[in-house]
Amino acid sequence: MLIRRLSTSSLLAALLGLTLLLSACGGASSSGSNSSTITAGQVLQKAIASMQKLKTVHMDFSVTENLQMQSQGTATPTSQSSALPSNLALSLQGSGDEIFPDQTSSQMKLSIPGVGTNLQLNEIVKDGKVYIQNKQGQWYVLDQSSLTGTSSFLEAANSDQYSRLLTLAQKAQLTDHGDQSLHGQSLRHISVTFGKDALKDLLNSFEQLPSSLSQSNLQQIEQATTLQQAGLELWIDEQNFYVHELGITLKMDLDLNKLLQTTPTTSGSSLSGVFSTQTAATVDYSKFNQPVTINAPANATPTDNPLTIFQQ
């Protein structure tokens, strides 16, 4: 069953990763007025096609994540449950370049409770390897395949995560704000609102869940999770139909009581309450199809544990 095969930390890591992807059920609609004869849905379709054809792009991104554990009941905490803090605040800011389909170079600053604040690092992905440089200047290298099935907060630097959002947005509610100015440019502003019944599509679309999760595990998480809010803000030019800015808002709750009711717990476990997460992210795209060179660093130290990089 789920609790026996999946540790609490793995489950929470999965939920962290879920915030990077959204999905929705139901037909799309649009509202608002605009002088253009192209509808918001058509602009979105053209943007999806244009972004898929990109050869290179520059990204500036910012992600904040607030996590709260609202305990319930009078059960005595175990060593596992008591180790979980009631509030966590994570943040990431950075920029990077991407050569499609599988090369990236990014510079980031992270704040992760229990690990450190203002953690500065560089990351390069090339030839199936992930290279990470810590603040001491030491490069580490991991096999990209070793990260499959994990939820990496560093995936915020991967534009593929956001490209999937555009495709899923076609099934959501669209609000057309017409042409508005952003960073000195006139861009089509479209708001995307996902329904609260979006979680099933979200789980089915998520590509970074722990490999130990089965389909029944996903159904159990779906039944215990409430998607409170999920939306995008898109700013798209109507010449090349590139996305210049993408904003993400996500709020959801995991009821641990419901989750544990559907699965037998390990001996002594007394986890209860609601685990809530709120995420806000902004991604700015620029320098579309401009020449970029990404070189892998020499003499990187092999590791299979990303935490060792931050603990130096």
Side-chain angles (χ1 to χ4, degrees), residues 158-286:
N158 183 352
S159 68
D160 186 54
Q161 299 276 10
Y162 307 111
S163 295
R164 290 197 292 272
L165 293 179
L166 297 179
T167 300
L168 296 170
Q170 294 180 101
K171 302 169 64 178
Q173 172 88 21
L174 305 182
T175 301
D176 189 356
H177 302 283
D179 294 332
Q180 295 184 351
S181 179
L182 178 72
H183 306 317
Q185 291 182 282
S186 180
L187 302 169
R188 190 75 166 264
H189 180 197
I190 300 172
S191 296
V192 180
T193 303
F194 297 92
K196 291 186 177 181
D197 58 350
L199 189 63
K200 183 176 181 178
D201 282 348
L202 168 60
L203 292 173
N204 289 334
S205 300
F206 191 54
E207 295 185 357
Q208 298 257 338
L209 284 171
S211 55
S212 58
L213 282 174
S214 66
Q215 188 61 38
S216 62
N217 297 155
L218 296 179
Q219 292 174 353
Q220 291 164 8
I221 295 176
E222 178 191 347
Q223 293 170 0
T225 303
T226 302
L227 188 61
Q228 300 290 358
Q229 181 182 357
L232 304 176
E233 296 295 329
L234 303 175
W235 301 79
I236 303 169
D237 76 73
E238 294 185 76
Q239 293 182 334
N240 297 307
F241 292 95
Y242 293 142
V243 176
H244 289 251
E245 183 170 293
L246 181 151
I248 304 170
T249 301
L250 175 64
K251 297 180 181 180
M252 64 183 186
D253 298 332
L254 173 67
D255 190 329
L256 295 177
N257 300 312
K258 288 185 179 179
L259 182 62
L260 298 180
Q261 286 173 1
T262 60
T263 57
T265 65
T266 56
S267 176
S269 175
S270 61
L271 287 174
S272 65
V274 177
F275 177 77
S276 301
T277 175
Q278 299 184 24
T279 301
T282 301
V283 184
D284 287 290
Y285 297 92
S286 60

Side-chain angles (χ1 to χ4, degrees), residues 146-159:
S146 68
L147 298 177
T148 301
T150 64
S151 301
S152 172
F153 196 50
L154 302 182
E155 284 297 315
N158 183 352
S159 68

Side-chain angles (χ1 to χ4, degrees), residues 43-54 166-167 240-242:
V43 171
L44 180 58
Q45 290 178 346
K46 289 178 178 290
I48 293 170
S50 294
M51 297 300 283
Q52 289 176 343
K53 294 177 182 178
L54 279 177
L166 297 179
T167 300
N240 297 307
F241 292 95
Y242 293 142

